[in-house]
Amino acid sequence: LASAVCQLNCHLIYTIYPTMKLSVCIGALAATTVSAFTTSFMPAGLRGVQSGSAMQMALKEGEVPIIIGLAADSGCGKSTFMRRVTSTFGGDVVGPLGGGFGNGGWETNTLVSDLTTVICLDDYHLNDRQGRKVSGLTALNTAEQKFDLMYEHVKALKEGKSVMKPIYNHVNGTLDEPEKIEPTPIIIIEGLHPFHDDRVRELIDFSLYLDISPDVKLNWKIQRDMEERGHSLESIMASIEARKPDFDAFIEPQKKYADYVIEVLPTQLDPEDKKTLRVRGIQKKGVADFNPTYLFDEGSEITWVPSADKLSTPAPGMKLAYIQEQYFGNDVAVLEMDGSFDNIQELVYVESNLGNTNSKFYGEVTQAMLSLADSPGSNNGTGLMQTLAAFAIRELYNKKSAAAKLAATTAAAAA
């Protein structure tokens, strides 16, 4: 399926009445816009995209790439989050390096655009699928990863150098021929172990962890494997239990290093409800070039039930909160949304009461949510927290770029 690069021409008009009731008119969100982003993350063999070599990816003179780390277990929404991050930066539509298999390229896990490179850390597996059967270890085990090579590559990319990165082929479980990765202004490393190695961790400018609670994981897996694929509950439970020891030992401990944790929990509004989500954005304070998003009043403690006249929500309703906590010994600001909403356009009502969203204009958060309306989580706090995190990354990049430009100008003037 050939994908075309389409332009998002979205105009938002907001009218604020004296009663503070907001009305929103949002137009020109064609279905092809959502399709473009979705197509970007289809399997490589199902799409035709621009080759990475044809994109304007070269670093400007003196520019230092920023490194973003994203840790999460498999099936926790990393691809959807990457779609939100890369679409936030604009530019060419994201696609597979070299065009992907079937389009004159190769089977690859690397996604590129004019500003971003997304590297899947599965490519640093020590053994292929057959080799892990021999070792008896899972891919979650840190003994099955090449951390020395991972560190060397991330360090080289941050220094503006290209690297020859291995490829783990998810289709057949083999280790394929390496591919050349050129540095871009934003490099995202995502996978199971981005924060395990302290050398790699030191190179990361901003770190995120997607924390899906066991109850939500179970509900998602039952819905997918039992309801859609016909698996038995016993087989699903056995699969989860078999994976749990390695997840607990090697993946979950990394969340203590994250600057931003998106925690997905069952709703507290109705104990019988198994589908509605309570999502918490746990934002570490004191991180360079990052100011946590707040609700109404920064540093306060607030619980808020939005007006049903301004935000339509299905049962069991909606509740937001903003609190100050300690998380692994760090001071954090927590923004919470419990419940879902019917109409994304009405999210502007919530957005109008948020501060430090890092948006370029009023309503941009709502517009970004609308542009990926068909993506998972777009009607609840998952999509909102991912969008706010994506905007935080963009602001981080802008601040570091401005500082680097000022340093270069100052050095040139002094020369």
Side-chain angles (χ1 to χ4, degrees), residues 24 65 82 91 143 206 209-210 229 273 281 329:
V24 186
M82 288 301 94
F206 196 70
Y209 185 95
L210 302 184
R229 299 180 182 178
D273 189 325

Side-chain angles (χ1 to χ4, degrees), residues 193-214:
H193 308 99
F195 315 142
H196 174 77
D197 188 288
D198 58 356
R199 298 169 300 173
V200 176
R201 204 163 58 242
E202 285 296 315
L203 295 170
I204 293 174
D205 294 287
F206 196 70
S207 53
L208 305 103
Y209 185 95
L210 302 184
D211 188 12
I212 315 301
S213 75

Side-chain angles (χ1 to χ4, degrees), residues 88-247:
T88 296
F89 285 96
D92 287 319
V93 67
V94 177
L97 184 65
F101 182 75
N103 293 289
W106 54 91
E107 192 69 43
T108 180
N109 302 312
T110 305
L111 299 167
V112 294
S113 74
D114 54 350
L115 279 178
T116 60
T117 298
V118 181
I119 295 174
C120 174
L121 296 182
D122 288 358
D123 290 336
Y124 293 92
H125 285 340
L126 176 64
N127 291 306
D128 60 13
R129 194 175 296 159
Q130 188 60 39
R132 289 198 301 275
K133 289 180 180 179
V134 174
S135 72
L137 303 176
T138 72
L140 284 74
N141 195 308
T142 52
E144 283 288 340
Q145 316 306 320
K146 299 176 182 176
F147 287 110
D148 287 343
L149 185 62
M150 186 191 301
Y151 163 67
E152 291 170 7
H153 282 183
V154 175
K155 181 175 183 290
L157 288 168
K158 191 156 189 171
E159 293 172 350
K161 303 171 185 175
S162 62
V163 300
M164 294 300 295
K165 182 188 62 59
I167 299 172
Y168 179 78
N169 190 318
H170 287 95
V171 176
N172 55 31
T174 58
L175 296 172
D176 292 353
E177 289 295 316
E179 61 186 356
K180 187 175 184 179
I181 305 294
E182 300 282 359
T184 50
I186 301 115
I187 296 168
I188 303 170
I189 57 172
E190 59 89 3
L192 298 171
H193 308 99
F195 315 142
H196 174 77
D197 188 288
D198 58 356
R199 298 169 300 173
V200 176
R201 204 163 58 242
E202 285 296 315
L203 295 170
I204 293 174
D205 294 287
F206 196 70
S207 53
L208 305 103
Y209 185 95
L210 302 184
D211 188 12
I212 315 301
S213 75
D215 288 340
V216 172
K217 276 185 187 178
L218 176 59
N219 292 337
W220 285 357
K221 198 164 180 62
I222 287 175
Q223 182 177 358
R224 185 190 68 182
D225 292 353
M226 193 172 179
E227 298 178 11
E228 299 175 13
R229 299 180 182 178
H231 295 185
S232 69
L233 180 59
E234 291 76 14
S235 67
I236 293 171
M237 294 300 294
S239 173
I240 291 174
E241 288 304 313
R243 188 180 181 85
K244 190 175 186 304
D246 277 0
F247 172 80

Side-chain angles (χ1 to χ4, degrees), residues 1-5 36 39-44 46-55 93-105 108 110-112:
L1 298 174
S3 63
V5 179
T39 303
S40 300
F41 282 74
M42 285 181 177
L46 297 180
R47 61 176 177 249
V49 301
Q50 187 177 8
S51 167
S53 61
M55 296 180 182
V93 67
V94 177
L97 184 65
F101 182 75
N103 293 289
T108 180
T110 305
L111 299 167
V112 294

Side-chain angles (χ1 to χ4, degrees), residues 322-341:
Y322 171 62
I323 53 180
Q324 317 304 311
E325 291 183 357
Q326 283 270 310
Y327 188 78
F328 291 101
N330 297 302
D331 292 328
V332 297
V334 181
L335 179 65
E336 178 180 313
M337 174 178 277
D338 192 346
S340 56
F341 40 88

